[in-house]
Amino acid sequence: MGKRRGKGEGSIYQREDGLWIGAVDLGWSSGKRARKVVNGRTRAEAAKRMQEVQPTVAQGLALAPDRMTVETYLSEWVSKRVPGTVSLRTEALYLRAVNVYICPSIGKVRLTKLAPSDVSRMLGDLEAKGYSPSTRRMARATLRRALRFAEQDGLLTRNVAAIAEGPKLDHREGRSLTPEQAQLFLAAVVDNRLEAAYVLTLALGLRRGEILGLSWDDVVHAENAVVLTVRRQLVRDKSGVHLSDLKTVGSRRTLHLSTPLVEVLERHRMRQEAEELVRGKRWNNEWELIFTSTVGTPLDPEQFGKTVPKICESAGLGHWSIHELRHSCASLMIAMEVPLEVVPEQMGHASIRVTKDVYGHLMPKARAKAAEAMRSVLFDEIIPVRPHASVGLATQVATSDVANSYTEPVNRAYVGRPGLDPGTLGLKGTFHRLFCVGLVAHVFSFQGTALSLVGFVSWCCRNMRPEMRPARAW
């Protein structure tokens, strides 16, 4: 009689078409018994697949259905799991990555069969289509985040997108305007309706959404200075154009305004007040934004960004984007030797490491100063100093610079016998103290010690030059 199967071990049977079926018991769910079914051409193959499933079931994980594809899971993830966890703009990026980059390559693959090689194949397909390394990296990051949710839900036992090797990003140094080009740009925007917006973008390094999200309440007088607080941004997503909090804490910052920036803001406010007077009831600036349309409504960030290349081309500067104005601000600050720890505060970077990674190649002056400092410390000629008479003669001679600069003839009267340090000769007071110690020891009957000390003093006196011997006290 065969051994009875244990509880939860499942069953194996053969269908009429010859396919072997293995069923693993998953317990009760919603009043129904759930099972995980696998199949194989032979009984051994079906048994092997059951053995692969059983450890996962023992951990309490509910594996994804066999027929669930990557496309089915990602569609459900981006429509049900993502909303509310990220911004609307990020949600739109995830949706585009799923529909345009991921699903066309691996969407038909079963979720439980997805392997690292499939992810690598997807990245290869994107590269063949001409997508940049940053786009391929974003697609892999989106898939990795989605599969992490599948791990948490017990649908997968590993995240194959995290295992697969990602694309290598080429380090491309961004362009920046020279001081002469920056001045040409400022001259080109004079009398422009949004002159102040372009000037602040270049002078303060603000992002596109940050400059359009500024309100008049953000400009205040503090400690004999005018400061600007960047605390919101204007974004466009599927719900339209609206104000949003900044992405990171480091992006919220307070910047000092120089006198020219204060003046250009004052001129802009006078222009805006005149527009409001002309528009009358049509004026609608409920958020008190600094930069608006001609009727007071928020500007479209994308349309505002497209105006910068047109201005640059009309000024003969070629094609420059609004983000390159921000890049130019950091580059010019570094060129003017602004301390590196101040630059990330100005730019709103999360840490100084971001600034070093992006703009480290723009600090030749700082590196030149470091090289000059080490050259001065290690290789500059040391100023010769006349040594004191107590410094050993051997030490003086061993120092070439001192030996060359100290050309005064050596007084032989100060040189002792070979092997003696001149600095120890002529210590008359020392021998007197030794004699006194010996005498005291003798008085207190320490005769052996006293005789030894007195003998040592006598030997020293006999071996000294006559003019340097202390007078005898006995």
Side-chain angles (χ1 to χ4, degrees), residues 56 59-60 63 74-75 138 164 185 197 218 224 229 239 267 273 308 313 346 348 409 419 429 443 471:
T56 304
Q59 296 177 10
L63 292 177
L74 291 181
S75 299
M138 188 267 291
F185 175 79
D218 297 330
N224 299 325
T229 301
S239 65
R267 292 196 302 270
E273 290 175 350
V308 173
E313 290 175 358
Q346 177 84 16
V443 171

Side-chain angles (χ1 to χ4, degrees), residues 232-269:
R232 295 179 301 181
Q233 60 180 342
L234 193 70
V235 298
R236 168 177 279 282
D237 49 39
K238 62 182 181 181
S239 65
V241 177
H242 61 91
L243 285 174
S244 173
D245 292 334
L246 297 177
K247 187 175 180 179
T248 62
V249 177
S251 297
R252 185 185 177 96
R253 58 202 185 275
T254 299
L255 308 175
H256 284 250
L257 300 180
S258 61
T259 302
L261 296 183
V262 175
E263 293 175 353
V264 75
L265 274 177
E266 290 177 349
R267 292 196 302 270
H268 178 78
R269 183 154 199 169

Side-chain angles (χ1 to χ4, degrees), residues 273-286 294-297:
E273 290 175 350
E275 289 180 345
E276 181 180 1
L277 184 62
V278 171
R279 299 300 178 185
K281 294 182 178 180
R282 295 179 57 193
W283 184 261
N284 181 20
N285 186 9
E286 59 176 334
T294 56
V295 294
T297 55

Side-chain angles (χ1 to χ4, degrees), residues 183-425:
Q183 293 174 1
L184 287 176
F185 175 79
L186 295 179
V189 298
V190 172
D191 294 332
N192 188 296
R193 180 179 174 277
L194 297 175
E195 173 188 359
Y198 300 120
V199 174
L200 290 180
T201 300
L202 177 60
L204 301 180
L206 299 182
R207 299 177 178 90
R208 181 184 64 184
E210 293 173 345
I211 191 69
L212 297 183
L214 294 175
S215 66
W216 289 110
D217 293 337
D218 297 330
V219 183
V220 297
H221 290 267
E223 299 180 357
N224 299 325
V226 180
V227 297
L228 174 68
T229 301
V230 183
R231 54 192 178 94
R232 295 179 301 181
Q233 60 180 342
L234 193 70
V235 298
R236 168 177 279 282
D237 49 39
K238 62 182 181 181
S239 65
V241 177
H242 61 91
L243 285 174
S244 173
D245 292 334
L246 297 177
K247 187 175 180 179
T248 62
V249 177
S251 297
R252 185 185 177 96
R253 58 202 185 275
T254 299
L255 308 175
H256 284 250
L257 300 180
S258 61
T259 302
L261 296 183
V262 175
E263 293 175 353
V264 75
L265 274 177
E266 290 177 349
R267 292 196 302 270
H268 178 78
R269 183 154 199 169
M270 294 175 60
R271 183 185 293 113
Q272 189 181 74
E273 290 175 350
E275 289 180 345
E276 181 180 1
L277 184 62
V278 171
R279 299 300 178 185
K281 294 182 178 180
R282 295 179 57 193
W283 184 261
N284 181 20
N285 186 9
E286 59 176 334
W287 294 326
E288 291 296 324
L289 297 178
I290 297 179
F291 305 108
T292 66
S293 67
T294 56
V295 294
T297 55
L299 293 171
D300 188 302
E302 295 182 3
Q303 295 301 322
F304 173 73
K306 293 179 180 179
T307 61
V308 173
K310 297 178 180 178
I311 295 174
C312 293
E313 290 175 358
S314 63
L317 297 173
H319 186 280
W320 292 83
S321 67
I322 189 171
H323 185 74
E324 287 175 323
L325 295 184
R326 169 178 164 82
H327 188 83
S328 299
C329 173
S331 302
L332 293 174
M333 283 193 294
I334 292 175
M336 296 303 295
E337 302 184 23
V338 175
L340 186 60
E341 61 271 14
V342 177
V343 178
E345 297 178 0
Q346 177 84 16
M347 304 300 293
H349 289 159
S351 66
I352 194 173
R353 180 176 180 179
V354 176
T355 309
K356 292 176 64 178
D357 291 343
V358 178
Y359 303 103
H361 65 285
L362 300 174
M363 296 185 289
K365 291 186 178 180
R367 290 192 290 270
K369 282 188 175 182
E372 178 64 19
M374 295 306 297
R375 184 202 64 78
S376 176
V377 170
L378 299 178
F379 304 108
D380 271 3
E381 183 179 359
I382 300 176
I383 300 176
V385 179
R386 180 184 178 92
H388 192 270
S390 63
V391 178
L393 180 63
T395 304
Q396 300 175 25
V397 176
T399 307
S400 59
D401 289 345
V402 176
N404 294 333
S405 60
Y406 186 49
T407 56
E408 182 179 339
V410 179
N411 187 355
R412 302 301 298 179
Y414 290 96
V415 180
R417 299 181 64 177
L420 294 179
D421 187 350
T424 62
L425 301 179

